[in-house]
Amino acid sequence: MRIHSLYTDIPKPERFTYPFCYEPHPLCQLAAKEVQEYIASHEVIRDDADNGKMFGVLIVESPGVSPPQQGESEGVFFLAAYSGLLAGRNDWDYFVPPVFDAQQPDGYFKTKEREISLTSHSSPLTTKKMSQDLQSWLFHQYQLLNARGESKDLVDVWQEYYSRPKLRRKFPLPPGGTGDCCAPKLLQYAYQQGLKPICMAEFWWGQPTKEELRRHLNYYPACRGKCKPILTWMLQGLEVDPDPEALGFQHMELPVVYEDDAIVVVDKPSGMLSVPGRIEEYSVATVMRQRYPDCVIAHRLDMGTSGLLIVAKTMEAYHPLQEQFIRHQVRKKYIALLESTALSSERNSSLFTLHSSLKSGTISLPLRPDPMNRPRQVVDMEHGKRAVTDYEFLSPLTSHLSPLQLVALYPQTGRTHQLRIHCAHPDGLGCPIKGDELYGTKADRLYLHASEIWFRHPITGDEMHLVSPSPFL
């Protein structure tokens, strides 16, 4: 049975979930709990999911489904899905089927795969061409529906989304696995069954992997790389929540820590951009340019990170500062509060005990962007760029009952999300920074603060050391 009843009086949301930035609706949380109980009670499914798997739930309604029983919300049900395969299968009765089933042993896809395998040693060029043709054929089999009842195959959806010539050259065809994530499966089945989507959420089950720094039972947005083009099409005809990032950010005070004729150092609050984003203009840069039209931000902090940020008032001051950053002559100290829930696993507790007993050390894990899930970064030992962080534990780890851990971080390099990944990764500290919704668990803020900075004044050459007390201590 793939349509599951919900027994609740929780009211429905006014609009459907914006899938790339959302808080899970209580109906989704209730449905997710039932799915989690199902996974835990089925050994084969649980054993495979424990390795790390994304699951999703879709709340739906339909007047055509049998009347609700006592205590059941009027005409409200849920669907469940998983990304990719589960225990090597995509035909579990509890979950919705794939948009297209390419796993049939005697089907065209598997038959051609076997043919290609037989030619792989004798004719590499022929094998490559056959593989490309088979992948193209597969994409055309994904006939994606939307809420208007329209249908379009995956290639057309993809190329319509990337219609500008420059983007079309960059993204000519979907990457492998596109269309097999939770969200497209859920929406496709709902439309096929005449069900109206109400809200949706996705959660991670299992241990974080070195590629997927995700936390057990945490909720996550749909991936942008593979799902953004698809869901842009499939959600047409639904009234969807607006993109929160397009609503604008709260304007905040920007305290000045130091200022002279050449530079100004501000104390950026958490939740404020350093420079204008793709949608949002409000940032440290725009605020400072209102005061000093020729100023330039000398470096950046993540939106969630608070603390010291240097602004050059003139290009004469900017270039020497940039030279110091390029030569790694600027020293920075960050204070981070690490996530308490991550200490629950035996491995993380052991790892934490090891690191805290050492008191200090160095993490070296090269990083690169995840092109299919920006802005996430991944550790890549072969293709990643060098990223090195020194760390120092500031408070002892007394027991698993007192897990909050304060750490000082001293980056030697300045890669995107470097400190966040070096804390969260199993080969780093193995414990994410509190409030890190990308690599840990969302909280009221990201508990990372740029507390001290050392540099030479770009004009006078004087040694500068500025301090900003951490707002969460």
Side-chain angles (χ1 to χ4, degrees):
M1 181 65 177
R2 287 165 170 161
I3 302 175
H4 311 286
S5 298
L6 270 184
Y7 299 92
T8 179
D9 57 0
I10 296 172
K12 297 175 290 187
E14 294 181 1
R15 295 179 296 270
F16 189 74
T17 313
Y18 180 74
F20 304 103
C21 185
Y22 66 90
E23 292 290 339
H25 189 272
L27 283 171
C28 288
Q29 292 176 327
L30 182 63
K33 184 178 180 181
E34 293 199 22
V35 176
Q36 291 157 10
E37 291 174 352
Y38 178 86
I39 297 168
S41 65
H42 289 73
E43 184 177 359
V44 174
I45 292 176
R46 184 187 67 243
D47 288 349
D48 186 65
D50 282 346
N51 295 321
K53 175 71 67 175
M54 194 71 77
F55 290 83
V57 292
L58 176 67
I59 308 302
V60 296
E61 64 178 354
S62 171
V65 181
S66 58
Q69 302 175 16
Q70 184 177 3
E72 184 179 335
S73 191
E74 183 72 29
V76 176
F77 307 86
F78 77 89
L79 309 175
Y82 50 85
S83 291
L85 300 175
L86 183 59
R89 293 170 49 186
N90 60 15
D91 59 351
W92 297 97
D93 289 340
Y94 185 84
F95 299 96
V96 301
V99 176
F100 177 76
D101 187 359
Q103 299 301 312
Q104 295 298 321
D106 297 326
Y108 180 83
F109 185 80
K110 286 297 182 182
T111 301
K112 295 299 290 185
E113 265 195 336
R114 290 191 290 270
E115 290 181 16
I116 292 171
S117 179
L118 293 174
T119 66
S120 60
H121 298 295
S122 59
S123 180
L125 290 178
T126 301
T127 299
K128 182 178 180 180
K129 178 64 166 56
M130 291 175 67
S131 297
Q132 291 174 340
D133 290 345
L134 182 59
Q135 187 68 69
S136 178
W137 174 87
L138 179 62
F139 287 147
H140 283 291
Q141 308 314 302
Y142 284 73
Q143 299 292 323
L144 300 166
L145 301 171
N146 65 19
R148 297 182 182 135
E150 301 165 330
S151 177
K152 188 175 292 187
D153 77 46
L154 177 55
V155 175
D156 289 341
V157 167
W158 190 268
Q159 294 186 345
E160 181 179 282
Y161 185 83
Y162 292 114
S163 58
R164 288 160 44 194
K166 183 177 179 180
L167 290 175
R168 178 72 63 83
R169 289 192 296 271
K170 188 175 182 180
F171 305 106
L173 287 173
T178 302
D180 293 325
C181 296
C182 296
K185 289 181 178 181
L186 290 166
L187 290 169
Q188 184 81 355
Y189 188 77
Y191 295 147
Q192 289 172 337
Q193 302 301 314
L195 304 170
K196 180 184 177 182
I198 301 300
C199 54
M200 182 168 61
E202 299 182 47
F203 65 88
W204 181 262
W205 177 286
Q207 294 298 316
T209 67
K210 294 182 179 181
E211 293 75 28
E212 293 282 1
L213 290 178
R214 302 183 188 273
R215 297 289 151 183
H216 183 54
L217 304 186
N218 276 12
Y219 292 93
Y220 292 95
C223 65
R224 290 179 180 267
K226 293 180 180 180
C227 287
K228 189 70 181 288
I230 294 176
L231 298 186
T232 299
W233 163 256
M234 298 188 80
L235 294 178
Q236 290 182 23
L238 290 181
E239 187 178 0
V240 181
D241 283 336
D243 178 357
E245 295 180 356
L247 298 178
F249 292 86
Q250 177 185 357
H251 288 206
M252 304 175 180
E253 291 187 13
L254 192 59
V256 172
V257 176
Y258 173 87
E259 183 171 9
D260 59 28
D261 292 340
I263 63 172
V264 55
V265 180
V266 299
D267 197 347
K268 186 186 86 67
S270 175
M272 187 176 189
L273 292 169
S274 295
V275 298
R278 179 175 54 87
I279 298 174
E280 175 61 36
E281 280 289 323
Y282 181 73
S283 66
V284 173
T286 52
V287 170
M288 296 309 296
R289 283 171 189 157
Q290 291 174 357
R291 304 179 192 175
Y292 313 105
D294 298 327
C295 74
V296 184
I297 303 295
H299 59 117
R300 300 182 186 184
L301 296 175
D302 287 349
M303 184 176 74
T305 305
S306 57
L308 298 170
L309 194 62
I310 306 173
V311 181
K313 290 184 175 181
T314 65
M315 295 304 292
E316 182 185 7
Y318 173 72
H319 289 303
L321 285 171
Q322 275 297 98
E323 187 69 19
Q324 291 182 60
F325 279 103
I326 291 171
R327 294 178 178 273
H328 304 292
Q329 295 171 341
V330 178
R331 292 176 55 218
K332 290 179 282 184
K333 176 182 178 180
Y334 291 76
I335 301 296
L337 189 62
L338 302 186
E339 188 176 293
S340 59
T341 55
L343 297 182
S344 58
S345 75
E346 180 179 347
R347 182 189 187 282
N348 280 342
S349 295
S350 300
L351 182 64
F352 240 67
T353 302
L354 171 63
H355 281 301
S356 60
S357 65
L358 295 174
K359 296 297 183 183
S360 62
T362 300
I363 300 165
S364 180
L365 294 172
L367 304 176
R368 65 164 176 81
D370 180 354
M372 288 295 105
N373 207 3
R374 294 181 184 276
R376 293 178 65 92
Q377 308 289 306
V378 296
V379 171
D380 188 329
M381 304 305 291
E382 183 178 357
H383 302 292
K385 292 184 178 180
R386 177 176 176 268
V388 181
T389 303
D390 296 325
Y391 66 88
E392 176 187 11
F393 284 94
L394 302 179
S395 58
L397 179 66
T398 56
S399 75
H400 69 282
L401 297 177
S402 303
L404 293 181
Q405 181 73 33
L406 202 64
V407 63
L409 303 168
Y410 304 88
Q412 296 185 25
T413 53
R415 307 300 176 202
T416 301
H417 297 177
Q418 174 178 319
L419 301 182
R420 297 163 68 174
I421 292 183
H422 281 183
C423 287
H425 198 273
D427 293 335
L429 295 184
C431 192
I433 297 170
K434 183 179 178 180
D436 188 346
E437 58 185 306
L438 283 180
Y439 310 108
T441 304
K442 188 174 182 179
D444 57 316
R445 61 156 291 168
L446 177 66
Y447 281 71
L448 178 64
H449 181 73
S451 63
E452 298 184 51
I453 192 165
W454 294 261
F455 63 99
R456 292 192 317 278
H457 193 282
I459 303 301
T460 67
D462 292 342
E463 295 293 333
M464 306 288 291
H465 175 210
L466 299 174
V467 179
S468 167
S470 174
F472 47 79
L473 293 185

